[in-house]
Amino acid sequence: MKRLLFALSLIIVAGCSRAQNIPPIIPQYKILTSDSVYKSYTDLKRDKPVMIIYFSPDCAHCQHLMNDLRPKMNELKKMQVVLIAFTRTEYPYLKLLKDFKKTYNLAKYPNVTIGTEYPTYKVQQYYQIRTTPYIAIYDHDGKLVKAYEKVPAINELMASVKKA
């Protein structure tokens, strides 16, 4: 009986350690914005929460997420939102980013930054992202609050935002 309990304990610990695979701090990214300006993690304001959304401008799930977020943008004003695009080349993706920014009226929000990490893919590797969109929310101290490998319900996402 003791051996069985010990074996089960090991399985649970191994499963929990695998689940903690998400890095707890903001990645050291560098992106080329849709305005052809480089931005990095050093441009983030201290003491403000951060939401990183790793996306592709032509991804239907990413577009659906943005449609759900659009009416909630005023609730995100105190949060720095960084949209980092997975792209294979710099061009024509800068045009896609500009179109994405225009479609979702993101220029209206000074707390939103959008760009591509091409060609380094450091953020994709950092989180080990397999599908888009991927969302990571950090609190005002830069500590991970919640990460989503798949699109959550908008109410669940906004609840995590409030915790940041």
Side-chain angles (χ1 to χ4, degrees):
M1 184 67 165
K2 287 182 182 180
R3 287 183 184 175
L4 179 61
L5 287 174
F6 180 73
L8 286 174
S9 297
L10 283 177
I11 291 169
I12 291 170
V13 168
C16 289
S17 65
R18 188 169 179 263
Q20 300 300 322
N21 204 13
I22 300 164
I25 59 173
I26 296 172
Q28 296 181 4
Y29 67 85
K30 181 177 180 183
I31 59 174
L32 179 63
T33 69
S34 58
D35 300 324
S36 298
V37 175
Y38 281 99
K39 295 278 186 171
S40 76
Y41 69 100
T42 60
D43 295 311
L44 293 172
K45 294 176 181 139
R46 293 182 181 195
D47 300 326
K48 288 193 88 174
V50 177
M51 178 190 299
I52 294 177
I53 301 174
Y54 196 83
F55 78 107
S56 181
D58 53 356
C59 161
H61 295 289
C62 302
Q63 294 165 359
H64 186 266
L65 170 66
M66 292 309 297
N67 282 323
D68 286 349
L69 273 179
R70 194 183 319 205
K72 306 286 186 183
M73 291 304 285
N74 284 333
E75 295 176 48
L76 297 175
K77 281 185 178 179
K78 294 182 180 179
M79 175 161 281
Q80 300 170 92
V81 180
V82 182
L83 291 140
I84 301 176
F86 172 81
T87 58
R88 298 198 190 282
T89 59
E90 199 171 290
Y91 301 100
Y93 277 94
L94 281 183
K95 181 177 178 348
L96 284 176
L97 288 179
K98 286 179 184 180
D99 293 345
F100 192 89
K101 186 176 179 179
K102 184 177 180 182
T103 298
Y104 298 102
N105 202 17
L106 298 176
K108 178 179 171 182
Y109 305 100
N111 62 315
V112 176
T113 304
I114 181 171
T116 179
E117 71 164 343
Y118 172 84
T120 65
Y121 306 113
K122 286 184 178 182
V123 174
Q124 187 269 334
Q125 294 164 11
Y126 184 80
Y127 292 119
Q128 300 175 12
I129 298 171
R130 292 181 203 93
T131 61
T132 56
Y134 180 94
I135 305 165
I137 299 171
Y138 295 87
D139 67 14
H140 63 279
D141 291 325
K143 293 180 183 168
L144 183 67
V145 171
K146 183 78 176 171
Y148 297 96
E149 292 183 15
K150 295 183 180 182
V151 181
I154 194 67
N155 292 337
E156 180 183 348
L157 179 63
M158 296 312 291
S160 294
V161 165
K162 288 179 183 176
K163 291 178 185 175

